[in-house]
């Protein structure tokens, strides 16, 4: 597909001769997922269909068919790796997902996040209709701090789960009116909600996900505070989160990326003003070496935070007599 493209297509077995439908279906599903084993219940005829919408980044498919089992065997995983995740959301009937020795039976109102980079089985009956969404691996591995498979059922009937499910239905219903940037923007928000749901962050008494993000962000900012290019977007990119997730986590802690970066830079300047090894540096040099754009920007922020200028703080820290400081400052 061309760059920044968006595609909507409908495919069914209706125009295929009955004896060729199973082969057609296998090739069709493989073409937009990966190599799978297909175990058909019927020995001859088979019916099924898909409505697929996709961009260069995300893909959502609504599918329905006769009874079938899809499988990724260890051999297929080795020969045809696929690191991306899939989110399953049944709309009618049910799905059974088996992976890592776990089994999840999904009915409408439940969902599951899995990877095709580990052996699994997915089976359903002829009355099933469901969504399957393809999500880039780094959008799950980073936020969830994992590279392993998932097969847990997620409650999509209330709270954050219902919001996410409604977003997916909305994407499908508006599929013919969306542009590629619009589709990607909503999908990105949907993935954030799913990651929060996986770690239970939809419950106000379990802020584990946001707390984890906040801790990682604070460590990163402390290590890179002196970088003049540091901002919310750059730290989110380096940590593998979205900017929105970083903002949410810091908002939960009562701050913002800009405020946190400024506070860490002020802390760094304060420590250097106290350290004998930095006495040879001017205030201007300290400002640039600590990530500030100018000495005036540092002085303004420092006075607001500590009630005095960096120069006054240095003199006080050095034990300079108050009379001498007043004479020098006029």
């Amino acid at each position: 597909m061309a760059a920044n493209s968006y595609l909507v297509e409908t495919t069914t077995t209706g125009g295929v001769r009955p004896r060729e439908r199973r082969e057609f279906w296998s090739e069709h599903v493989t073409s937009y997922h990966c190599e799978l084993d297909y175990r058909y219940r019927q020995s001859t005829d088979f019916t099924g269909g898909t409505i697929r919408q996709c961009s260069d980044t995300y893909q959502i498919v609504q599918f329905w068919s006769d009874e079938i089992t899809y499988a990724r065997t260890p051999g297929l995983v080795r020969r045809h790796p696929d690191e991306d995740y899939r989110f399953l959301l049944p709309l009618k009937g049910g799905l059974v997902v088996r992976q890592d020795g776990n089994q999840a039976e999904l009915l409408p109102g439940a969902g599951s996040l899995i990877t095709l980079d580990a052996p699994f089985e997915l089976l359903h009956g002829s009355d099933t209709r469901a969504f399957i969404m393809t999500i880039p691996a780094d959008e799950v591995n980073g936020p969830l701090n994992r590279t392993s498979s998932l097969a847990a059922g997620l409650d999509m009937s209330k709270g954050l789960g219902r919001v996410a499910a409604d977003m997916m239905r909305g994407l499908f219903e508006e599929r013919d009116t969306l542009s590629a940037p619009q589709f990607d923007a909503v999908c990105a928000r949907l993935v954030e909600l799913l990651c929060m749901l996986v770690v239970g962050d939809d419950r106000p008494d379990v802020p584990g996900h946001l707390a984890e993000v906040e801790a990682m962000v604070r460590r990163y900012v402390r290590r890179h505070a002196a970088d003049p290019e540091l901002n919310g977007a750059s730290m989110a990119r380096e940590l593998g989160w979205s900017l929105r997730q970083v903002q949410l986590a810091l908002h939960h802690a009562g701050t913002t990326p800009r405020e946190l970066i400024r506070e860490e830079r002020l802390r760094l300047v304060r420590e250097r003003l106290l350290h004998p090894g930095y006495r040879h540096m001017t205030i201007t040099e300290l400002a640039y070496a600590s990530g500030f754009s100018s000495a005036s920007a540092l002085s303004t922020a420092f006075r607001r935070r500590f009630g005095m200028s960096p120069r006054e703080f240095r003199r006080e820290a050095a034990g300079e007599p108050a009379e001498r400081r007043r004479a020098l400052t006029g």
Side-chain angles (χ1 to χ4, degrees):
M1 291 186 292
N4 202 34
S5 62
Y6 174 65
L7 170 70
V8 177
E9 63 177 10
T10 300
T11 304
T12 73
T13 57
V16 181
R17 289 182 291 184
R19 67 175 180 272
E20 298 174 354
R21 288 177 180 174
R22 291 190 301 170
E23 181 179 356
F24 170 83
W25 188 255
S26 298
E27 292 177 353
H28 171 60
V29 175
T30 295
S31 70
Y32 62 78
H33 279 304
C34 61
E35 290 292 334
L36 297 162
D37 272 352
Y38 299 85
R39 303 164 189 171
Y40 295 92
R41 178 68 177 268
Q42 296 90 334
S43 59
T44 53
D45 195 5
F46 178 85
T47 60
T50 61
I51 302 175
R52 176 183 176 229
Q53 52 188 133
C54 63
S55 67
D56 299 337
T57 307
Y58 302 99
Q59 175 178 268
I60 295 177
V61 179
Q62 186 178 127
F63 65 95
W64 63 95
S65 76
D66 289 334
E67 187 173 347
I68 189 172
T69 298
Y70 302 93
R72 283 276 282 172
T73 64
L76 286 177
V77 171
R78 287 193 304 272
R79 294 191 301 272
H80 305 283
D82 184 335
E83 297 180 350
D84 291 343
Y85 287 80
R86 268 65 169 183
F87 174 64
L88 292 161
L89 181 66
L91 302 171
K92 179 185 176 185
L95 303 169
V96 175
V97 182
R98 297 170 181 156
Q99 191 166 57
D100 277 354
N102 299 315
Q103 176 170 305
E105 185 173 355
L106 307 178
L107 299 173
S112 187
L113 187 64
I114 65 171
T115 176
L116 301 193
D117 211 34
F120 90 106
E121 287 186 339
L122 169 66
L123 52 150
H124 67 78
S126 58
D127 62 341
T128 296
R129 182 179 288 261
F131 285 123
I132 181 167
M133 179 182 186
T134 302
I135 304 171
D138 58 0
E139 296 191 20
V140 174
N141 292 339
L144 297 187
N145 193 27
R146 68 172 71 225
T147 56
S148 61
S149 58
L150 296 162
L154 302 175
D155 187 354
M156 310 301 294
S157 65
K158 64 179 184 297
L160 192 63
R162 182 175 178 182
V163 173
D166 287 345
M167 287 179 68
M168 179 167 283
R169 294 187 185 96
L171 278 168
F172 178 76
E173 291 168 0
E174 299 299 324
R175 61 189 180 278
D176 293 324
T177 67
L178 298 174
S179 65
Q182 291 169 340
F183 177 74
D184 282 349
V186 179
C187 284
R189 299 298 180 269
L190 175 55
V191 172
E192 290 177 15
L193 295 181
L194 290 174
C195 288
M196 293 171 68
L197 186 62
V198 167
V199 296
D201 195 53
D202 58 315
R203 300 197 307 264
D205 60 324
V206 187
H209 176 63
L210 294 184
E212 178 187 351
V213 177
E214 178 199 349
M216 291 178 66
V217 168
R218 288 186 182 278
R219 287 195 297 270
Y220 185 86
V221 172
R222 178 151 293 199
R223 289 196 302 268
H224 298 87
D227 180 359
E229 302 300 321
L230 180 65
N231 56 41
S234 67
M235 76 170 81
R237 182 170 56 252
E238 290 300 318
L239 289 170
W241 306 86
S242 71
L243 176 58
R244 179 60 177 159
Q245 285 173 307
V246 170
Q247 291 170 332
L248 281 172
L250 294 182
H251 176 74
H252 186 74
T255 187
T256 67
R258 183 188 296 272
E259 291 171 354
L260 177 61
I261 292 169
R262 183 176 63 245
E263 185 66 23
E264 284 299 324
R265 285 173 175 167
L266 288 171
R267 180 196 59 80
L268 183 61
V269 170
R270 187 175 184 274
E271 288 181 355
R272 289 174 172 178
L273 288 171
L274 292 169
H275 198 290
Y278 290 90
R279 287 177 182 168
H280 68 284
M281 296 181 69
T282 66
I283 299 302
T284 298
E285 290 171 337
L286 276 174
Y288 289 127
S290 303
F292 286 92
S293 59
S294 67
S296 62
L298 166 60
S299 294
T300 299
F302 198 93
R303 184 180 292 278
R304 185 178 296 120
R305 177 67 176 83
F306 299 111
M308 64 181 71
S309 71
R311 184 170 284 104
E312 290 169 339
F313 182 87
R314 171 178 270 177
R315 289 171 180 165
E316 185 173 286
E320 186 174 295
E323 293 80 3
R324 172 64 175 164
R325 293 199 302 274
R326 284 196 292 270
L328 289 173
T329 58

